[in-house]
Amino acid sequence: MAKVDVVADVLEHYADSIPQHVGIIMDGNGRWAQQKGMPRVYGHKKGVDSVRAAVKFARQVGIKSLTLFAFSSENWKRPEEEVSGLMDLFMLVLTKEIKNLHKNNVKLKIVGDITAFSAGIQKKVASAHELTGNNTGLTLNVAANYGGRWDIVEAAKSLADKVKRGELESADIDEALFDSHTQFAEQPDLDLLIRTGGETRISNFLLWQVAYAELHFTPLYWPAFNALAFAQAVEAFAGTERRFGLTGEQVKR
Ligand code: IPE
Ligand code: IPE
Ligand code: MG
């Protein structure tokens, strides 16, 4: 099936059940490359094509927020050569892709503790945020040096600071307020979480946000993930009855 058809097919059949916020754990780059007798970094480079395809698909079917796990707070522990390869790639992508994202009205948000990155990357991130900050199309969150526990701890800290300054009573903290202090404030709830590469774990991704998300695991390595694979995840999502604690009968009513 040609790629255009994949989008048209999704819009024809599932227009009413497009997930608003999709998170993707882009896993399997290293194994994909090793299977081809290539170094792991080759897999990361090829993974950028899949990122482009996923962003395009998300825009075309009308997903509001797409959150991609690019680098976890634990990934620093990888061999130095791989970490620096990933950093170079991050820098290159931030430089090369930003104009095209902007042209397509995409709002780019890097989520994670970016203070750990080089000054060059931090500058690129700041200018990317500035350039695309007012865009109204897809919000593309790229999680870099991100950890779900970090996100929760940061939210707790900023609430604690407000209590300390007397701006807030601790009794006023509820789930909605807590949510508005996470990295994804003002974005739709996470509807669908996809993980490529065959593992069935969360690896410290969106821990707070995953509460009622549908989980979709695919054995495809990230560089092999394309619009068709994304469409299949959306199709599975559309076919699920989300009950949020209710009975099936209640949901139907
Ligand atoms: C995911 O692919 C990308 C990052 C973690 C940066 P991996 O590099 O984890 O690939 P595998 O899981 O080892 O195959
Ligand atoms: C999760 O993949 C992080 C990213 C995709 C960026 P990992 O490959 O780091 O996860 P584990 O180590 O298999 O749990
Ligand atoms: Mg992995």
Side-chain angles (χ1 to χ4, degrees), residues 3 26-34 36 38-54 85-86 89 92-93 96-97 221-226:
K3 275 187 182 142
M26 309 184 290
D27 197 25
N29 293 348
R31 279 166 287 162
W32 182 87
Q34 281 163 336
K36 296 185 149 36
M38 298 295 280
R40 296 176 55 85
V41 174
Y42 178 69
H44 298 315
K45 285 187 186 143
K46 282 292 176 181
V48 178
D49 295 340
S50 300
V51 169
R52 243 180 254 117
L86 281 164
L89 191 60
L92 186 77
V93 170
K96 264 182 56 183
E97 305 290 330
Y221 293 140
W222 178 249
F225 189 85
N226 56 17

Side-chain angles (χ1 to χ4, degrees), residues 117-136:
F117 293 120
S118 69
I121 290 181
Q122 291 187 50
K123 254 174 91 177
K124 289 275 177 205
V125 168
S127 62
H129 284 172
E130 197 182 303
L131 179 69
T132 66
N134 293 322
N135 287 347
T136 53

Side-chain angles (χ1 to χ4, degrees), residues 189-238:
D189 281 344
L190 186 73
D191 288 321
L192 171 63
L193 177 68
I194 299 170
R195 180 172 187 141
T196 62
E199 316 296 351
T200 49
R201 54 177 172 255
I202 303 293
S203 299
N204 196 18
F205 192 31
L206 305 166
L207 298 182
W208 168 268
Q209 295 80 6
V210 83
Y212 259 110
E214 299 296 326
L215 308 181
H216 184 87
F217 299 100
T218 161
L220 287 176
Y221 293 140
W222 178 249
F225 189 85
N226 56 17
L228 181 60
F230 204 156
Q232 284 163 348
V234 169
E235 183 184 347
F237 172 83

